[in-house]
Amino acid sequence: MNNTAPPSTRAALDREQLTRLSMTEWATALREGRLTATECLELHLERIAQENPRLNAIVTLNPMAADDAAAADRAAAAGGPLGPLHGVPFTVKDTLATKGLRTTAGSPLLGDYVPEQSATAVRRLQEAGAVLLGKTNCSEFAVATHTSNPLFGDTWNPWDTGLTSGGSTGGDSAAVASGMSAFGLGTDFGGSIRWPAHCTGLASLRPTVGLVPETGLLPYVPPAVGESLPAPNSMSALHRLGTVAWLARSVDDLGVLLGVLAGTDGVDPSTRAGTGGRPNRVPGRDQLCLVRGRGHPPRPGRSGDCRPEGSRSPG
């Protein structure tokens, strides 16, 4: 950064650079009290106001985000234990249920659907302290490699708005790559998290089927008022081959999120027991292999490379 720039320019550059921090860097800064959850939220909302009109990544903002950030600040001031994602802002693909917040899967059929409960994965992130910013655009019912749908239109790549941000989790891809969100929760069936991450230069993780519950992932028949979200259909190809997945700015972020998200919820019949993470612990790079369930520590000199000897190959 040019230190000879006017103070107002330096401040603007500093604020933009802050929105480029990784999720784990944000989490550390917030837990150490270097800024408040409210300040962090305001930075991201400024970035959304600046970037979203040209990218069309975030389609619904969470009106309770400011209240959630304020609650996080009160918890920090009280001196009690804080979750590993305390105050970190995130976005959610519009195929995952969010309590009190429109969830459409990009389809006019669900244009007015507002769930009464959140998907298990969304709830776990919030219980770990993360602040939900809003919902991101996706291809209709998550079935295309470019993010576009009849409700919200196209989402574009922040590095070149003439290019796609991928699909079907292209909204999260554009939001995180442009600094509007610290990380994005999405899904992956045939590349829906991996391809968008590739398009915008992010890290992504499609976990093994059965590690993270899919309860609250559309499509499902919306329950009647007062009823719980239905158990995923264990016989459908979507459920047997698809997963909840996520993208972020660093590989470290991916491992932390797996530790928070993994484990049975008692609803999804395909979720394996005994895979839950420790939501009060943020693992470092040296612990990522164990967090990912590989069952062995990294080899010397290969921190973070969790593949057994002889298994490394392109792709």
Side-chain angles (χ1 to χ4, degrees), residues 9 53 65 68 82 86 102 123 129 138 170 172 177 198 215 234 245 278 295:
T9 302
D68 294 342
L82 302 176
H86 167 78
R102 182 176 56 171
R123 177 174 52 78
C138 60
D172 270 336
H198 166 83
T215 308
S234 61
R278 285 169 281 181

Side-chain angles (χ1 to χ4, degrees), residues 135-152:
K135 306 299 291 291
T136 52
N137 206 17
C138 60
S139 52
E140 188 172 11
F141 287 112
V143 293
T145 57
H146 169 63
T147 293
S148 180
N149 63 63
L151 279 180
F152 305 116

Side-chain angles (χ1 to χ4, degrees), residues 7-314:
S8 59
T9 302
R10 290 203 302 271
L13 289 172
D14 288 342
R15 293 178 79 80
E16 179 174 348
Q17 289 171 346
L18 279 173
T19 62
R20 301 291 183 179
L21 295 177
S22 71
M23 182 201 78
T24 47
E25 289 171 331
W26 273 120
T28 299
L30 287 158
R31 288 168 64 85
E32 291 179 352
R34 284 185 271 150
L35 78 167
T36 67
T38 297
E39 290 170 334
C40 182
L41 174 66
E42 289 173 349
L43 280 169
H44 284 83
L45 290 176
E46 287 177 10
R47 191 69 175 168
I48 290 169
Q50 176 184 351
E51 293 293 316
N52 202 54
R54 73 186 183 100
L55 300 177
N56 192 35
I58 298 175
V59 296
T60 304
L61 284 172
N62 177 17
M64 300 302 296
D67 291 341
D68 294 342
D73 289 335
R74 289 193 296 272
L82 302 176
L85 304 180
H86 167 78
V88 177
F90 74 108
T91 47
V92 174
K93 184 177 183 177
D94 209 22
T95 56
L96 287 155
T98 43
K99 181 179 179 180
L101 198 60
R102 182 176 56 171
T103 301
T104 72
S107 174
L109 295 173
L110 295 169
D112 298 320
Y113 175 48
V114 179
E116 291 187 338
Q117 300 95 28
S118 289
T120 297
V122 175
R123 177 174 52 78
R124 286 180 176 175
L125 292 172
Q126 292 179 302
E127 288 173 351
V131 174
L132 176 60
L133 279 168
K135 306 299 291 291
T136 52
N137 206 17
C138 60
S139 52
E140 188 172 11
F141 287 112
V143 293
T145 57
H146 169 63
T147 293
S148 180
N149 63 63
L151 279 180
F152 305 116
D154 298 278
T155 295
W156 300 108
N157 193 311
W159 304 111
D160 184 339
T161 53
L163 300 176
T164 184
S165 61
S168 60
T169 316
D172 270 336
S173 170
V176 175
S178 62
M180 291 190 281
S181 175
F183 69 93
L185 183 70
T187 62
D188 194 298
F189 180 84
S192 285
I193 203 79
R194 293 163 288 168
W195 166 240
H198 166 83
C199 288
T200 58
L202 299 172
S204 65
L205 180 62
R206 170 196 161 97
T208 302
V209 174
L211 280 180
V212 179
E214 294 179 32
T215 308
L217 170 60
L218 289 166
Y220 58 79
V221 177
V225 174
E227 293 185 356
S228 300
L229 291 170
N233 181 1
S234 61
M235 298 304 294
S236 73
L238 177 65
H239 181 63
R240 293 175 70 88
L241 299 176
T243 68
V244 173
W246 48 94
L247 49 74
R249 296 192 191 93
S250 80
V251 173
D252 286 351
D253 297 350
L254 305 180
V256 172
L257 291 168
L258 180 57
V260 170
L261 291 167
T264 183
D265 66 350
V267 179
D268 184 343
S270 299
T271 309
R272 291 191 295 176
T275 55
R278 285 169 281 181
N280 62 342
R281 175 174 175 269
V282 178
R285 182 177 294 276
D286 291 342
Q287 287 79 45
L288 287 183
C289 290
L290 298 179
V291 170
R292 291 176 186 161
R294 298 290 190 182
H296 63 276
R299 296 188 304 282
R302 292 186 178 272
S303 177
D305 186 348
C306 302
R307 293 168 290 180
E309 292 287 357
S311 69
R312 295 186 299 277
S313 61

